[in-house]
Amino acid sequence: MMSLSRNSAEGSLIGIIFPVLVLFGISGNILNLTVLLAPNLRTRSNKLLACLAVADIVTLIVNLLHSMAYYDIFKLNIWFRKFYGDYKFQLIGISKWSIATATWLVFVICLERLITIKYPLSMRKQAKFFTPRNVVPIIVVTTFILTSYNHVSHTCLGKLYCERTQYYVVCLDINSERWFRNEPNPNSELMKSFVRYAPQVNAIFVVLIPAILVIIFNVMLILTLRQRQKLFEPSTTIRDDSLNGSQTEAEYKATITVTAIVTCFTITQSPSAFVTFLSFYIQKDWFTLRSICTILVVLGKALNFVLYCLTSSSFRQRLREQLNSGKSTRYTSVETH
């Protein structure tokens, strides 16, 4: 009766697998930030990737709170139950906001790399527009507006039982016909309409459209990479006159890393996107399938660190330098003491 999960399958997936992936993902994305924001690596692409890492960290932290609700030590704790019960839908709203932000950031990163590698001269002219200072605030504000309905979609009422030792929360959709204590629903028709139609708008502009765009542009990026690969074959003497050879090769290597990240994002995020979209039109129990999709989403965010290490020699080198620098600083501190 004190369980906070809907069924055993959801509890097993979210409660057992989640924490490992989430903790690895948070640690990996923090390491990503330390490298991507290093003074000598703060390129336009790296700044956008750093913003993506921040969005992923927020998503992982919120999902860690959800996974904690499946452990007795937390779900039986009155203070955790109060916090989680009262703010569950706000946490869901923050999670969907950060996921939506990450989705559109991936699209912008993919588009920026595609233009840079395919039309380098055009990218120079449009460089100011693609700066994180211009793009990121637009994405953050727009996705917040599109996902804001989650914060007002339910009203929760909690009550203490068993001599104030057990806390139970009941949440009702604001479109619910019945209300607490059999009172009439106090919400206005405007608010009901907003919560009724906002998820469908969200499904189109936050789920379906960006997912399709990311898939299309990622395919274009992969095809462009295959064409540009001929520039760096040993037997090739032709070089792109728009950029010098070393700079072109650097952009090419950066694009390989971005392509790997975007491809991983597409594989791990697309199932969740299409299940979310289909759930509005097909009424059935999606809980187990959604749990599996959520695992895939978290797996994708946790794999970014692995992809950086596998595809970028400069990332590996900078990471080793920072780790060695940290060891040297620690040893110096110990010797001083």
Side-chain angles (χ1 to χ4, degrees):
M1 292 176 65
M2 297 286 284
S3 176
L4 295 173
S5 60
R6 292 181 178 269
N7 53 56
S8 57
E10 182 187 7
S12 300
L13 289 171
I14 307 298
I16 297 175
I17 303 174
F18 236 50
V20 177
L21 293 177
V22 167
L23 292 175
F24 178 78
I26 292 174
S27 303
N29 277 290
I30 291 174
L31 289 174
N32 293 343
L33 284 174
T34 61
V35 175
L36 293 171
L37 295 179
N40 60 333
L41 291 177
R42 293 185 183 180
T43 62
R44 181 179 54 250
S45 296
N46 285 353
K47 288 178 182 178
L48 289 170
L49 289 169
C51 293
L52 176 63
V54 172
D56 287 346
I57 289 172
V58 173
T59 302
L60 292 169
I61 290 174
V62 173
N63 280 283
L64 181 61
L65 292 173
H66 287 309
S67 68
M68 290 167 61
Y70 295 89
Y71 289 87
D72 289 345
I73 190 173
F74 296 110
K75 73 180 181 183
L76 299 180
N77 182 280
I78 188 170
W79 299 110
F80 181 83
R81 290 184 68 86
K82 279 186 174 182
F83 170 78
Y84 187 75
D86 293 342
Y87 298 103
K88 178 179 180 178
F89 287 96
Q90 281 68 34
L91 293 173
I92 291 174
I94 294 172
S95 177
K96 290 187 176 181
W97 180 22
S98 59
I99 290 174
T101 300
T103 302
W104 279 106
L105 278 173
V106 167
F107 166 69
V108 171
I109 291 167
C110 186
L111 179 61
E112 185 268 344
R113 279 292 91 195
L114 180 62
I115 296 176
T116 299
I117 200 76
K118 197 174 182 66
Y119 310 106
L121 291 178
S122 175
M123 192 61 215
R124 286 179 176 179
K125 297 176 182 178
Q126 302 177 27
K128 292 183 179 179
F129 172 76
F130 275 96
T131 57
R133 184 180 299 178
N134 294 332
V135 175
V136 175
I138 295 174
I139 292 176
V140 171
V141 173
T142 304
T143 52
F144 174 76
I145 293 172
L146 290 171
T147 59
S148 60
Y149 72 92
N150 291 283
H151 298 280
V152 295
S153 62
H154 291 74
T155 298
C156 297
L157 182 65
K159 189 174 181 180
L160 288 166
Y161 291 90
C162 299
E163 298 182 352
R164 304 180 67 84
T165 60
Q166 296 182 13
Y167 187 74
Y168 289 88
V169 178
V170 176
C171 296
L172 295 179
D173 191 306
I174 71 166
N175 281 293
S176 177
E177 294 182 1
R178 68 180 184 86
W179 205 247
F180 300 108
R181 303 183 185 91
N182 292 322
E183 297 177 356
N185 191 326
N187 297 288
S188 66
E189 290 300 321
L190 179 62
M191 181 61 72
K192 290 179 182 178
S193 298
F194 171 69
V195 172
R196 187 181 302 118
Y197 296 110
Q200 298 179 36
V201 176
N202 175 82
I204 294 172
F205 291 100
V206 173
V207 178
L208 187 64
I209 291 178
I212 293 174
L213 289 176
V214 167
I215 292 172
I216 293 173
F217 280 88
N218 190 41
V219 171
M220 292 174 62
L221 189 59
I222 293 172
L223 293 176
T224 303
L225 274 178
R226 292 185 65 180
Q227 294 174 356
R228 301 283 289 186
Q229 187 177 12
K230 297 178 181 179
L231 289 171
F232 308 105
E233 293 176 355
S235 59
T236 303
T237 58
I238 301 174
R239 285 291 183 267
D240 192 341
D241 294 334
S242 60
L243 292 171
N244 62 61
S246 60
Q247 187 175 356
T248 304
E249 187 171 0
E251 295 288 358
Y252 174 80
K253 290 180 178 179
T255 306
I256 291 176
T257 301
V258 169
T259 303
I261 292 171
V262 175
T263 302
C264 178
F265 177 89
T266 303
I267 294 171
T268 57
Q269 308 283 319
S270 296
S272 176
F274 288 108
V275 167
T276 301
F277 186 77
L278 289 175
S279 65
F280 288 106
Y281 303 98
I282 302 176
Q283 300 299 322
K284 60 173 292 186
D285 185 358
W286 295 93
F287 294 120
T288 301
L289 188 57
R290 279 181 170 174
S291 297
I292 296 172
C293 290
T294 304
I295 292 289
L296 283 175
V297 169
V298 174
L299 176 63
K301 297 183 182 303
L303 284 177
N304 281 347
F305 173 71
V306 177
L307 294 174
Y308 279 119
C309 292
L310 290 177
T311 61
S312 176
S313 58
S314 60
F315 180 90
R316 294 193 298 271
Q317 180 181 353
R318 182 63 187 177
L319 181 61
R320 282 195 299 267
E321 290 175 357
Q322 290 191 350
L323 292 175
N324 292 334
S325 175
K327 290 180 181 179
S328 301
T329 304
R330 188 171 69 251
Y331 292 151
T332 303
S333 176
V334 170
E335 290 175 0
T336 302
H337 289 295

